[in-house]
Amino acid sequence: MPTLADIVQELESIYDPAWAESWDAVGLVCGDPSAKVRKILFAVDPVAVVADEAVAWGADLIVTHHPLYLRGTTSVAATTFKGRLIHTLIKNDVGLFTAHTNADVADPGVSDALARSVGLTGPLVPLRPSSDDPRRGLGRVGTLPAPVSLGEFARRAADGLPATAGGLRIAGDLDRQVQRIAVSGGAGDSLLDTARAAGVDVFLTADLRHHPAAEFMETFGGPALIDAAHWATEWPWLTDAARRLTSISATKGITVETRVSETVTDAWNTTAKCEELK
C-alpha cells in the first residue's frame, strides 16, 4: 500500500509545483507523509461538505484544485470554517493536497478537460503559452467538428458542463456561425484581449465582470463570450487528474482507488425573480 509521500510524489510529477504562480499555495496542506493511502477523493473546493464526503467514504486523501490557505495563516483554531476543516481532516486521518495554477498550465490540465467537455476535438494549443514551454500555458484553443450557431454551441456547452444555478451567460449573436473556440477554466477576465488576438469565434470562461465584458463587446464586437460558473469550468479536470494519477501509479505497481466528488460547491445555489421573494 502506498504512503502519502508516494502519492504526493506522483501528483507532483504530473503537476509540477514549480509551474505554480508565485502567489499560489500548492502541495500538501495536511497529512502524515508516512500514512498509508488507499482511497483518494478529488474535488474542486476544500470545504466542509467535501471533508464530510471524504470521511463518510473512508478516504485517506483529498485532492482539491483550490487552495485552503491561499494567503497563509497564523492559526488553525476551530473558530473559523478553515480551522474546523483542518480539525476534521486530522481527526479522521485524511490528508489534503492542492494542485491549482500548476494544474491550470499543465499539459494536459484544467482547460484541456474543459475544452473536451464542451465538444472541442482535435489538437488543443494554449491560449497563452508558458514562456518556458509552449506546450503548457493558460487556456486552450481548439475547434468544433463543424461550424454551428453560437446558440447551438452554448446548448452543447451547457450539456457538457455540470449543472449550476446560474447556467451560462452569453454575449453575442446567437445565430452567428462559430467553430474556433477558446476556453479557460476559472476566472478569465485577464485573457479577453488574448482571446481576441487569437482570432477565435467564442471565448468560454468564468467570472467575467460586467464592465470588462461590456466594454469588450462594445469596442470589438467579439469574439462572443460565454460565462459559466467558476466551479463548473474546473470540475471536468477532476476526472482527468484522477485517471492520470491511477495510470501513472499503476506503471509503478501502486494501486489506489479514486473518486470524483459530484457535490456542487459553487457559491450560488439558486436564482430567483424579485417577485418570487415577496
Side-chain angles (χ1 to χ4, degrees):
M1 189 182 299
T3 65
L4 178 56
D6 294 328
I7 299 302
V8 168
Q9 181 178 2
E10 299 307 326
L11 285 167
E12 291 188 341
S13 73
I14 304 170
Y15 306 111
D16 190 335
W19 299 339
E21 297 288 342
S22 60
W23 49 263
D24 203 2
V26 300
L28 188 63
V29 179
C30 74
D32 181 351
S34 66
K36 301 298 184 181
V37 174
R38 298 173 298 109
K39 293 183 174 182
I40 305 172
L41 179 69
F42 285 76
V44 174
D45 297 300
V47 292
V49 67
V50 169
D52 291 343
E53 180 180 354
V55 171
W57 182 51
D60 305 295
L61 174 64
I62 302 172
V63 175
T64 64
H65 183 50
H66 292 147
L68 179 64
Y69 288 109
L70 183 59
R71 295 177 178 83
T73 186
T74 59
S75 170
V76 293
T79 53
T80 66
F81 91 84
K82 294 185 179 184
R84 289 191 294 274
L85 179 67
I86 289 292
H87 278 248
T88 296
L89 297 179
I90 292 176
K91 285 180 179 178
N92 291 278
D93 295 320
V94 181
L96 175 62
F97 179 92
T98 294
H100 190 212
T101 53
N102 50 330
D104 285 332
V105 300
D107 174 30
V110 172
S111 291
D112 295 271
L114 172 59
R116 298 309 186 198
S117 71
V118 300
L120 302 192
T121 58
L124 298 172
V125 297
L127 178 58
R128 179 181 289 170
S130 297
S131 58
D132 61 330
D133 185 349
R135 297 170 300 176
R136 297 187 296 101
L138 290 175
R140 290 295 184 270
V141 177
T143 58
L144 299 171
V148 297
S149 68
L150 173 61
E152 175 60 24
F153 171 65
R155 282 189 287 273
R156 294 182 187 181
D159 289 341
L161 293 174
T164 56
L168 302 182
R169 300 187 300 176
I170 307 161
D173 180 357
L174 294 179
D175 294 325
R176 175 188 174 189
Q177 295 291 292
V178 301
Q179 185 172 22
R180 183 171 164 83
I181 313 293
V183 302
S184 183
D189 267 353
S190 65
L191 294 171
L192 282 171
D193 288 339
T194 306
R196 181 177 64 86
V200 298
D201 302 314
V202 184
F203 179 37
L204 185 154
T205 187
D207 294 348
L208 291 176
R209 294 169 295 159
H210 171 79
H211 291 297
E215 292 176 8
F216 180 83
M217 296 303 294
E218 288 292 331
T219 302
F220 305 111
L225 302 177
I226 298 182
D227 184 52
H230 190 121
W231 173 85
T233 63
E234 294 174 333
W235 186 85
W237 168 75
L238 303 178
T239 298
D240 184 64
R243 182 171 55 245
R244 296 191 74 199
L245 175 62
T246 55
S247 177
I248 193 172
S249 297
T251 65
K252 301 180 180 181
I254 298 174
T255 301
V256 291
E257 183 178 355
T258 61
R259 172 176 171 177
V260 171
S261 174
E262 296 185 357
T263 302
V264 179
T265 55
D266 186 51
W268 313 107
N269 60 6
T270 190
T271 57
K273 296 180 180 179
C274 291
E275 57 266 26
E276 294 174 348
L277 301 179
K278 296 179 180 178

